[in-house]
Amino acid sequence: MATRYDPQSAEPRWRDAWAAADLFRAKRPADAAGAPKAYILEMFPYPSGRLHMGHVRNYAMGDVVARHRRAKGYNVLHPMGWDAFGMPAENAAMERGIHPGKWTYANIDAMKAQFKKLGLSLDWSREFATCDPEYYGAQQALFLKMLDKGLVYRKASKVNWDPVDNTVLANEQVIDGRGWRSGAIVEQRELTQWFFRITAYADDLLTEVQKLERWPEKVRTMQANWIGKSEGLQLRFDFAGKAPAGFESGIEVFTTRPDTLFGASFVAISPDHPLTIQMAETSDALKAFRAKCAQIGTSEEAIEKAEKLGFDTGLTVAHPFIEGATLPVWAANFVLMGYGTGAIFGCPAHDQRDIDFARKFGLNVTPVVLPPDADPETFDVGDKAYTGPGRIFNSGFLDGLPVDEAKRQAIARIEAAGHGQGTVNYRLRDWGVSRQRYWGCPIPVIHCEDCGIVPVPAADLPVRLPDDVTFDQPGNPLERHPTWKQVACPTCNKPARRETDTLDTFVDSSWYYARFASSDDPAERAYWLPVDQYVGGVEHAVLHLLYSRFFARAMRDCGELDLPSGEPFAGLFTQGMVTHETYRAAGGTWLEPGAVTRDGAAVTETATGKPVEVGAIEKMSKSKKNTVDPDAIVATYGADVARWFVLSDSPPERDVEWTQAGVEGAGRFAQRIWSLADSLPAAPYPAPGEDAASLELRRVSHRAVLNVDKAIDEFRFNSAIAAIHEWVNALKKAEQAEGLTGARAEALSMLARCVTPFMPHLAESVWERIGGEGFVSAAAWPEADPALTTDDSVTLAVQVNGKRRGEITVAKDLGNDAVEAAARALPEVEAFIAGKDVKKTIVVPGRIVNIVVA
Ligand code: ANZ
Ligand code: ZN
């Protein structure tokens, strides 16, 4: 009697058994018996409290790789933890009065229970949350090492300030220039903040990212663009009239387009340029202008989008190349103080920001780069700057040169005149890590009036967050805590003040991979790192990965990490999202997939029977209600089916659309695999037969093993799944034939092992059913017999006197005489040997037949 596979009873049973056998614990280097290591890591989750399908896909992918490597004999590290600091916990505290820590740890418990149901082969013994004092204490120690090394420093920097809530806002909390809670117009304020000196590694981060061959090209490019190396010229403009006090040496600008100098029509300085600030002291109009610019917010994006604002200072500077020509000096909101020198020259014809500015304020527009095929007499840029290639014109000694050559010559001329210097600039800024928030890692320093900044002594780490804090008012709870910040100076013992800023949560995720490798043993960290395969969302392609690459270098240079390359992730895979159709009721409200009924093409609201508008297929999100709850899927179909489906339908880097039909199909396929085991007699089994049908089935199986193996290695999980489908079809057919028990049993033993990375619980049940030894999760990857996987024919090139004349395809085991005869019989060969004396024939097996004639 055929039985059905019951995931509801099988899955928990296997998970308990794995846990009891402690199957997925990574071995210490000394116990690994020389096995190669594989560190497989998925970006650790934020404990929001609920698992979503995107998590399932992400962690299922990592698990496929981890289980596969384990089966191939690697000592695998596959850990899990929680990226647990951050704003949502504080928001929950503000909204519901629950302590952020309590909220976070409750979420971790809930999510961990969900995670455990997925059957992931994780080493939970290394679990931690970044809000554990042990973790953030170690991070504080690291911070102090970096401070000591000069990789951490303080400087005044702009923050978004909410004047109503009296608090600093993160860029994401500024919406259309207003504070997200108060709605007040946000101001920029200077605050002394902590920075990591990531720019010290700018060049190295750029060169090395190009060498990460197992990273997606797209991510490498994004990193390179973010670092943004610009080669250009730093150039001094002398004042045409009397220079303002303190600015006798002129205005220094940075340009990447010195070739366009003859098209310059103004010089612009940042609203925060020292000259602007100085002049504002005596000009109310300029003061007002600066205040207006300050309302735009601090993000580059906000400034980019803002309307161009300008203020004519009345000053003029001399053109460096054109005798007697002068340029007006403006203050302009699109010039950032934090980049280059905080001053530019504007060439409107060839820069969009400059032309927007020039058109608004009636400044000259002189084109100096002539596009190929354009007429110098009539060429006009209108309102759109020309930034393409061409030859220089209207430009004196540069006329006729292509852009790159003109850049070189302009730089040479400026350098020779002592007016400036060719330079390299990076877009990358030092990383501001101060946050005026509670739920983060306290910065472990003390401010003393006499001693200045004093590191918290190692013995006093971790600096713990106080528990008794309130969230009933805006601002930083650490700042208003009655006692927490009061402390004696570790150096002079006078009353001093703790730093109340906490670290950006990106810091927490910049070194967790090293902590997983070992909490304290440098040798073990060196053994595991770099991560061999990192898996995560492309939304982290820039910041998280860049900060992690910086941190690995900083830790290395502080003697904390033996990782010469400084690259923490040797391989990176960025997975696509899980999408779903969207549904709207007549009134326009979104409906959950569970609230609609599909009958062929007709979709109705289950509760009302009214028609439903089927919308676009989009990333699952709460706002559109097109989510499917993993818990519900696991309860209905089992974790294996959920894992199988999210990996099956599209390549892992692309999005996969969740459909009811798809998940049901995956469920049927699981039963089909089970039925193959179920239809076999009980073990033990005879050896596979040597008859043609047995051989054929064995060939199919052994080749499938190779295909699945290769597809997993190449991150083509959908191809692996397709190969398993074909294999199962062949096995299903073989059920009908007599005398195949041996070949079928062999096939099933291999199939169980190939299915394990995807549907580990089902694979265990199959393995158990066919009398497999131990756990299939601990079994070695099946070995394919080359005699059964190689094709049995070969193609050989046929040469006459060393010249290729044709080719033959023959049976692999054909004797040399027969091969020679076949070669000579080829018409295109025969033509060259007809009537000649064949001196000898050389057969290089599997490759060439060379016929030598006189
Ligand atoms: C003159 C010029 C002419 C420019 C032209 C461009 C086109 P990247 O490539 O990003 O390094 N720039 C320099 N400092 C700036 C600042 N602090 N704020 C805003 N813009 C600044 O960009 C370098 C170019 O951006 C520089 O080259 C400068 O404008 C502008 F046809 O100089 B250019
Ligand atoms: Zn002191």
Side-chain angles (χ1 to χ4, degrees):
M1 248 283 288
T3 61
R4 278 184 72 76
Y5 172 67
D6 176 21
Q8 273 70 36
S9 66
E11 291 193 348
R13 178 163 72 90
W14 289 122
R15 286 195 298 267
D16 289 347
W18 295 332
D22 202 9
L23 222 49
F24 308 124
R25 184 189 289 267
K27 292 198 182 70
R28 300 272 133 155
D31 306 329
K37 68 94 184 176
Y39 184 177
I40 314 299
L41 184 67
E42 300 94 47
M43 292 179 184
F44 66 163
Y46 177 78
S48 61
R50 288 225 60 81
L51 210 63
H52 56 66
M53 271 303 164
H55 288 126
V56 175
R57 193 167 189 227
N58 183 215
Y59 297 109
M61 284 182 192
D63 201 44
V64 169
V65 178
R67 285 178 174 273
H68 181 239
R69 289 287 169 96
R70 217 175 270 115
K72 305 267 305 205
Y74 286 80
N75 180 25
V76 170
L77 172 56
H78 188 210
M80 183 57 69
W82 310 95
D83 188 13
F85 274 135
M87 278 302 286
E90 281 190 56
N91 292 341
M94 282 185 254
E95 281 155 23
R96 277 170 271 164
I98 176 170
H99 186 274
K102 215 168 157 201
W103 183 85
T104 304
Y105 283 107
N107 283 352
I108 288 175
D109 286 346
M111 269 174 97
K112 190 170 171 182
Q114 288 186 298
F115 258 105
K116 291 221 159 169
K117 286 191 199 155
L118 294 177
L120 303 167
S121 63
L122 292 164
D123 180 353
W124 285 101
S125 72
R126 296 177 189 236
E127 177 192 7
F128 58 78
T130 56
C131 62
D132 295 344
E134 298 74 35
Y135 184 81
Y136 71 72
Q139 183 162 301
Q140 290 167 339
L142 211 51
F143 178 95
L144 293 177
K145 285 233 164 84
M146 287 166 75
L147 179 65
D148 202 41
K149 264 261 162 200
L151 290 169
V152 175
Y153 66 96
R154 289 177 97 209
K155 73 170 180 196
S157 148
K158 289 278 180 62
V159 293
N160 300 303
W161 181 260
D162 185 322
V164 169
D165 275 354
N166 276 317
T167 185
V168 176
L169 299 178
N171 279 334
E172 313 80 69
Q173 296 172 328
V174 180
I175 296 153
D176 294 330
R178 289 173 185 274
W180 66 321
R181 296 172 69 84
S182 70
I185 291 183
V186 167
E187 296 168 5
Q188 295 183 10
R189 277 223 181 157
E190 289 257 340
L191 225 69
T192 304
Q193 309 219 72
W194 290 95
F195 285 82
F196 280 135
R197 207 181 295 280
I198 187 170
T199 56
Y201 298 96
D203 210 41
D204 187 49
L205 288 167
L206 182 64
T207 358
E208 294 305 308
V209 81
Q210 320 287 1
K211 299 184 194 158
L212 296 172
E213 279 165 21
R214 292 201 296 114
W215 279 41
E217 183 65 46
K218 169 180 74 179
V219 175
R220 288 191 278 171
T221 306
M222 285 163 85
Q223 294 245 325
N225 290 343
W226 188 264
I227 297 166
K229 182 174 182 171
S230 293
E231 282 169 276
L233 170 69
Q234 202 145 309
L235 152 75
R236 210 178 59 247
F237 282 89
D238 292 328
F239 283 100
K242 188 174 174 314
F247 293 87
E248 290 74 13
S249 59
I251 299 178
E252 189 104 42
V253 306
F254 171 68
T255 178
T256 50
R257 296 297 306 271
D259 55 307
T260 66
L261 261 168
F262 282 92
S265 62
F266 62 93
V267 161
I269 56 180
S270 164
D272 301 310
H273 193 278
L275 178 55
T276 322
I277 294 171
Q278 178 173 313
M279 292 177 79
E281 282 166 16
T282 54
S283 160
D284 285 343
L286 189 51
K287 209 177 283 165
F289 172 78
R290 291 193 66 229
K292 200 168 168 198
C293 293
Q295 288 182 352
I296 295 171
T298 55
S299 80
E300 227 175 275
E301 195 197 351
I303 292 167
E304 194 76 42
K305 276 200 231 143
E307 192 200 337
K308 299 278 173 294
L309 301 176
F311 184 94
D312 186 352
T313 64
L315 298 166
T316 55
V317 291
H319 194 286
F321 292 151
I322 311 171
E323 194 62 50
T326 63
L327 305 173
V329 178
W330 286 66
N333 66 335
F334 68 92
V335 184
L336 311 168
M337 194 54 221
Y339 187 68
T341 61
I344 65 156
F345 78 80
C347 175
H350 305 293
D351 183 284
Q352 194 56 41
R353 289 167 303 179
D354 295 349
I355 200 158
D356 294 343
F357 192 76
R359 292 296 185 214
K360 180 162 176 192
F361 296 107
L363 298 159
N364 284 342
V365 178
T366 311
V368 290
V369 181
L370 187 66
D373 309 326
D375 177 354
E377 300 301 319
T378 56
F379 177 61
D380 177 22
V381 294
D383 285 334
K384 182 124 186 48
Y386 177 71
T387 57
R391 290 197 177 264
I392 306 297
F393 72 132
N394 294 334
S395 293
F397 72 96
L398 297 176
D399 276 352
L401 297 175
V403 166
D404 281 344
E405 182 54 27
K407 282 184 185 172
R408 275 191 285 276
Q409 295 208 11
I411 292 175
R413 187 72 71 108
I414 294 287
E415 283 182 346
H419 264 107
Q421 191 106 81
T423 50
V424 174
N425 242 291
Y426 294 92
R427 210 182 81 96
L428 185 67
R429 308 281 76 167
D430 277 338
W431 174 17
V433 291
S434 281
R435 296 293 180 271
Q436 289 72 34
R437 312 242 76 99
Y438 167 73
W439 196 231
C441 169
I443 292 179
V445 302
I446 290 163
H447 300 274
C448 170
E449 246 169 53
D450 292 350
C451 314
I453 288 180
V454 184
V456 172
D460 296 346
L461 296 181
V463 176
R464 284 172 183 267
L465 288 167
D467 281 330
D468 52 337
V469 278
T470 52
F471 295 90
D472 49 352
Q473 37 183 314
N476 182 355
L478 291 179
E479 187 64 49
R480 61 170 181 267
H481 188 281
T483 55
W484 185 76
K485 66 181 171 191
Q486 287 148 24
V487 61
C489 169
T491 309
C492 72
N493 217 25
K494 278 207 196 129
R497 183 177 59 81
R498 263 190 210 294
E499 173 65 68
T500 54
D501 284 354
T502 54
L503 289 171
D504 179 3
T505 56
F506 270 112
V507 176
D508 313 333
S509 54
S510 292
W511 70 284
Y512 76 109
Y513 49 84
R515 180 88 182 173
F516 275 145
S518 169
S519 58
D520 53 6
D521 179 5
E524 198 172 353
R525 282 190 182 168
Y527 169 81
W528 286 116
L529 288 170
V531 172
D532 297 277
Q533 186 61 60
Y534 198 31
V535 186
V538 76
E539 67 275 16
H540 294 299
V542 177
L543 294 183
H544 163 59
L545 293 171
L546 193 63
Y547 293 153
S548 296
R549 297 180 61 224
F550 160 67
F551 243 80
R553 285 164 167 78
M555 288 171 80
R556 175 195 66 194
D557 295 347
C558 290
E560 286 289 297
L561 199 58
D562 178 9
L563 183 68
S565 72
E567 291 299 340
F569 312 123
L572 170 71
F573 189 85
T574 53
Q575 89 279 1
M577 294 178 302
V578 184
T579 63
H580 198 290
E581 272 181 338
T582 49
Y583 309 102
R584 269 180 199 251
T589 52
W590 300 104
L591 294 173
E592 287 169 15
V596 306
T597 306
R598 195 179 248 293
D599 184 6
V603 181
T604 51
E605 185 174 357
T606 315
T608 61
K610 290 195 185 133
V612 164
E613 185 196 329
V614 178
I617 298 160
E618 294 185 54
K619 174 187 173 178
M620 286 188 177
S621 80
K622 279 198 199 111
S623 63
K624 304 245 163 95
K625 289 205 178 164
N626 62 337
T627 57
V628 171
D629 179 18
D631 260 1
I633 298 297
V634 169
T636 315
Y637 301 94
D640 283 345
V641 167
R643 294 168 58 123
W644 183 261
F645 179 63
V646 288
L647 298 177
S648 63
D649 264 6
S650 46
E653 65 277 15
R654 300 243 199 89
D655 293 351
V656 63
E657 188 196 349
W658 184 275
T659 63
Q660 189 59 26
V663 75
E664 280 166 12
R668 281 193 302 274
F669 191 70
Q671 293 299 340
R672 200 166 154 86
I673 290 179
W674 173 250
S675 74
L676 293 172
D678 197 42
S679 68
L680 268 181
Y685 303 105
E690 304 209 358
D691 55 295
S694 293
L695 269 180
E696 187 45 36
L697 186 59
R698 296 191 71 203
R699 280 209 184 90
V700 167
S701 302
H702 286 247
R703 278 185 203 149
V705 166
L706 287 191
N707 288 339
V708 174
D709 189 40
K710 188 152 182 280
I712 293 177
D713 269 340
E714 294 172 358
F715 255 84
R716 292 181 293 107
F717 306 136
N718 57 322
S719 308
I721 284 176
I724 292 173
H725 266 276
E726 262 184 56
W727 186 9
V728 166
N729 286 343
L731 278 167
K732 206 68 202 163
K733 261 195 222 131
E735 268 181 354
Q736 312 303 323
E738 300 272 312
L740 287 181
T741 306
R744 280 170 59 204
E746 179 195 55
L748 226 60
S749 150
M750 291 175 138
L751 178 71
R753 285 174 281 169
C754 288
V755 164
T756 299
F758 303 91
M759 297 202 275
H761 312 87
L762 171 66
E764 292 288 3
S765 290
V766 168
W767 188 251
E768 180 184 51
R769 174 70 177 70
I770 63 172
E773 210 176 293
F775 293 104
V776 72
S777 293
W781 190 255
E783 296 245 13
D785 179 349
L788 291 166
T789 55
T790 40
D791 218 352
D792 28 19
S793 59
V794 283
T795 301
L796 299 98
V798 182
Q799 303 179 333
V800 178
N801 287 350
K803 246 201 158 118
R804 188 189 164 95
R805 298 297 179 191
E807 59 180 44
I808 48 168
T809 299
V810 295
K812 217 175 208 160
D813 47 8
L814 200 63
N816 276 3
D817 290 347
V819 171
E820 189 183 327
R824 288 173 68 156
L826 267 188
E828 55 269 48
V829 170
E830 223 191 334
F832 287 97
I833 56 175
K836 296 200 177 132
D837 184 11
V838 175
K839 286 219 142 36
K840 60 177 171 182
T841 302
I842 305 151
V843 178
V844 185
R847 293 185 50 212
I848 301 173
V849 184
N850 189 14
I851 303 168
V852 184
V853 294

